[in-house]
Amino acid sequence: MKFVRYQVHGKISYGILEDDTIQEILGSIFGDFKTTSAKCRLSEVRLLPPVEPTKILCVGLNFRDHIEELGEKTPEYPSHFLKPLTTVIGPEDPILYPRIARRVDYEGELAAVIKDRVKDVPLDKALEHVLGYTCFNDITERELTQKQGQLTRAKGFDTFAPFGPCIATGLDSSKLTVQTYLNGKLVQEGQTENLIFSVPFLVHYLSQCMTLLPGDLISTGTPRGIGPLKPGDIVEVTIKGIGTLRNPVRSIP
């Protein structure tokens, strides 16, 4: 099943996407809901970020080939950071190139969406608290990561957390392929079976620190092939079973 959040004629709704048709639902995607008779074409709506998270948790250095690419050491524990909610944008929304930026990179990733309130979840129960998965782009000002030694500023600019186009349920998070395209050219490809820290472990580990709430995102890291964006580019993150997250890059007016 693919859940979407969308806007049509000024109304924001949740729905179930099948092929190119959205069927409206009432209720909560995190609990009980029912379908209505209202349907619309995907081409007739504006897709929004599929959930409204309370926090965005990103994991760095989780693909072995990306660690080699950066010349880093394999971490003993997940290296994670938070993105502010002002980074959130949805499909087709523009990534704004900061005025102070020197190099802005794409980082295509798989993100897990939390289903309910959870704290200190056991590892063997972790997937019970995942609603589904979405495409995520961990946009990064690369030079700031090297100059400042911390990631909040480099990864926290407005529009630096595109995700969507949907939340797909029923997927095996260990058997997915993450692909990133820049202006139609494949620039990243990685298999989630090569993650150092799996989705269940990340949910278990992060919930030891903080309470996870419905709609929170855990993005699982990017594979080899990160590279720069410039205004005028189109960047797409594709995961089979989820779809394609597409965003243009624009200068700030």
Side-chain angles (χ1 to χ4, degrees):
M1 187 179 297
K2 293 181 177 180
F3 293 115
V4 293
R5 181 169 161 263
Y6 63 100
Q7 184 175 31
V8 60
H9 304 310
K11 177 185 176 183
I12 295 175
S13 303
Y14 278 94
I16 297 172
L17 176 64
E18 187 171 351
D19 296 326
D20 64 347
T21 300
I22 299 172
Q23 183 164 27
E24 183 187 48
I25 61 175
L26 295 178
S28 172
I29 63 172
F30 305 108
D32 295 327
F33 64 86
K34 62 181 180 180
T35 59
T36 74
S37 59
K39 293 184 178 181
C40 54
R41 295 287 184 184
L42 186 59
S43 59
E44 298 171 339
V45 310
R46 177 193 173 199
L47 285 183
L48 303 173
V51 287
E52 298 177 279
T54 71
K55 49 188 167 292
I56 303 164
L57 286 154
C58 297
V59 177
L61 305 180
N62 202 17
F63 273 93
R64 290 177 176 82
D65 58 0
H66 178 53
I67 294 171
E68 294 170 0
E69 176 180 50
L70 295 179
E72 300 281 357
K73 295 181 180 179
T74 300
E76 184 178 357
Y77 301 102
S79 171
H80 66 278
F81 55 91
L82 286 160
K83 286 200 175 209
L85 298 185
T86 45
T87 59
V88 169
I89 57 173
E92 300 296 338
D93 291 338
I95 298 164
L96 299 179
Y97 203 97
R99 293 186 179 92
I100 68 167
R102 301 292 297 274
R103 172 176 164 169
V104 174
D105 283 5
Y106 54 80
E107 293 190 15
E109 305 189 4
L110 170 75
V113 181
I114 297 300
K115 181 168 64 176
D116 49 12
R117 184 185 182 97
V118 61
K119 181 72 168 69
D120 291 319
V121 61
L123 179 60
D124 62 350
K125 301 291 185 182
L127 286 181
E128 296 176 12
H129 302 281
V130 174
L131 174 66
Y133 303 92
T134 192
C135 302
F136 189 88
N137 199 339
D138 176 19
I139 305 297
T140 304
E141 210 297 338
R142 186 62 56 195
E143 290 198 8
L144 288 177
T145 66
Q146 301 164 352
K147 289 180 179 179
Q148 294 192 290
Q150 55 83 31
L151 299 176
T152 300
R153 183 168 171 84
K155 292 174 175 283
F157 287 91
D158 292 352
T159 75
F160 271 27
F163 69 95
C166 68
I167 302 166
T169 66
L171 301 179
D172 184 341
S173 62
S174 68
K175 296 181 179 179
L176 299 174
T177 299
V178 180
Q179 296 177 314
T180 306
Y181 292 83
L182 182 63
N183 301 321
K185 179 183 177 182
L186 179 64
V187 290
Q188 284 187 293
E189 183 170 274
Q191 287 70 44
T192 56
E193 64 184 6
N194 294 323
L195 291 175
I196 296 169
F197 304 108
S198 67
V199 169
F201 181 82
L202 292 174
V203 174
H204 161 69
Y205 177 82
L206 294 170
S207 75
Q208 293 173 335
C209 172
M210 63 191 77
T211 300
L212 304 176
L213 299 174
D216 284 352
L217 298 182
I218 298 176
S219 200
T220 58
T222 197
R224 174 187 290 274
I226 60 170
L229 299 167
K230 64 181 185 302
D233 285 344
I234 300 291
V235 60
E236 298 169 292
V237 180
T238 296
I239 302 174
K240 187 176 180 180
I242 301 174
T244 296
L245 169 68
R246 181 183 184 274
N247 297 95
V249 183
R250 295 181 186 168
S251 299
I252 295 177

